[in-house]
């Protein structure tokens, strides 16, 4: 509550229910759910850009978009960042595997289901390379989306001792970052390496994908 205004304030959200949060987040405090809800309430009062960041695990916290919507609406975030979990060292300790890692299409599908439960929000951007999608409040869209940050404008205001609302330091979203862009969110200023074999679009295809021999050329296509 007393945190000075920042450019963008994130809240990591690991579960839509106390059971999910206990299982996925491994909280240290007994009153973890009360603390979680209090964080949501605080986020709803903040003046700057606010983001709820969901890290999705198949079979763990991807069921029940309606339950997620009920929790997230309490925070009233400007943005919801939906990201698929990536392989980590803790996987071996917790019994998780690649089947718990949603594909990019599965992340987008879940994000769309969440939008349908949350009036006033739409899918705005995607980034296939980091397996993520961005849900944004419709307040950040007039004719076009303005999900990016005007960092210079924010810095100037802070230097002058001014406080800005989230809508007062927006910047236009570039076309390559928008949902449905041919580049799937990959910046044209970067060099992209594509696998010789495209990754599975759905998790059910992973086992068959692993059994197939690699292509004759294992080099990466760069574009």
């Amino acid at each position: 509550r007393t945190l000075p205004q920042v450019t963008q304030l994130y809240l990591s959200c690991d579960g839509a229910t106390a059971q999910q949060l206990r299982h996925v987040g491994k909280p240290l405090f007994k009153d973890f759910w009360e603390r979680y809800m209090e964080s949501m309430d605080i986020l709803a009062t903040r003046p700057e850009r606010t983001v709820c960041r969901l890290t999705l695990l198949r079979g763990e916290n991807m069921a029940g978009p309606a339950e997620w919507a009920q929790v997230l609406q309490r925070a009233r975030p400007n943005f919801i960042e939906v990201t698929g979990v990536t392989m980590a060292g803790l996987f071996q300790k917790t019994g998780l595997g690649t089947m718990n890692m949603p594909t990019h299409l599965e992340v987008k599908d879940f994000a769309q289901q969440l939008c349908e439960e949350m009036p006033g929000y739409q899918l705005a951007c995607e980034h296939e390379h980091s397996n993520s999608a961005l849900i944004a409040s419709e307040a950040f869209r007039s004719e076009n989306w303005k999900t990016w940050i005007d960092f210079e404008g924010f810095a100037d205001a802070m230097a002058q001792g001014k406080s800005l609302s989230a809508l007062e330091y927006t910047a236009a979203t570039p076309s390559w970052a928008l949902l449905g862009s041919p580049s799937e969110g990959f910046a044209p200023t970067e060099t992209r390496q594509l696998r010789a074999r495209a990754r599975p679009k759905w998790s059910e295809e992973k086992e068959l994908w692993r059994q197939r021999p690699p292509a004759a050329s294992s080099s990466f296509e760069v574009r």
Side-chain angles (χ1 to χ4, degrees):
R1 290 187 175 92
T2 60
L3 181 74
Q5 187 170 11
V6 296
T7 312
Q8 185 161 270
L9 186 60
Y10 275 82
L11 176 63
S12 293
C13 304
D14 292 332
T17 65
Q19 182 179 2
Q20 283 182 5
L21 186 58
R22 181 186 294 108
H23 186 64
V24 176
K26 302 295 190 293
L28 299 175
F29 300 99
K30 292 182 179 179
D31 60 343
F32 65 91
W33 185 254
E34 289 75 15
R35 288 171 178 260
Y36 189 44
M37 292 296 100
E38 183 181 10
S39 297
M40 295 282 181
D41 293 340
I42 292 173
L43 205 70
T45 68
R46 297 290 302 189
E48 66 270 268
R49 294 165 57 108
T50 56
V51 186
C52 286
R53 187 179 193 273
L54 280 59
T55 301
L56 301 180
L57 291 91
R58 290 184 76 249
E60 302 292 337
N61 65 358
M62 290 182 68
E67 291 180 324
W68 269 111
Q70 185 175 1
V71 169
L72 294 171
Q73 285 169 336
R74 183 163 178 162
R76 300 198 300 273
N78 301 130
F79 305 99
I80 303 168
E81 182 183 305
V82 185
T83 302
V85 70
T86 54
M87 185 69 76
L90 59 84
F91 270 39
Q92 292 182 343
K93 298 179 181 179
T94 57
L96 298 173
T98 56
M99 290 301 291
N100 296 108
M101 299 164 55
T103 67
H104 184 55
L105 278 179
E106 288 167 346
V107 167
K108 288 198 296 182
D109 183 61
F110 179 87
Q112 183 56 53
Q113 292 180 52
L114 189 54
C115 286
E116 293 170 3
E117 300 288 343
M118 298 185 67
Y121 289 88
Q122 291 185 30
L123 258 175
C125 305
E126 65 176 307
H127 192 264
E128 189 273 343
H129 199 61
S130 59
N131 197 14
S132 62
L134 183 71
I135 297 171
S137 165
E138 293 175 352
F140 289 81
R141 183 178 190 178
S142 49
E143 292 185 3
N144 301 300
W145 283 109
K146 293 185 176 181
T147 62
W148 279 39
I149 299 174
D150 177 4
F151 286 101
E152 291 186 1
F154 181 86
D156 290 344
M158 294 302 103
Q160 297 170 22
K162 298 180 180 178
S163 178
L164 298 177
S165 72
L167 291 170
E168 291 181 300
Y169 56 101
T170 63
T173 309
S175 60
W176 54 263
L178 294 171
L179 179 72
S181 163
S183 65
E184 295 181 295
F186 202 89
T189 55
E190 303 292 332
T191 300
R192 185 177 189 181
Q193 294 183 330
L194 299 177
R195 295 174 179 268
R197 286 195 301 167
R199 288 180 291 188
K201 294 183 180 297
W202 304 99
S203 291
E204 290 75 12
E205 302 171 359
K206 289 178 180 178
E207 186 59 37
L208 181 60
W209 183 86
R210 282 192 289 265
Q211 293 173 2
R212 288 177 179 172
S217 173
S218 60
S219 60
F220 288 98
E221 176 190 350
V222 180
R223 68 181 185 189

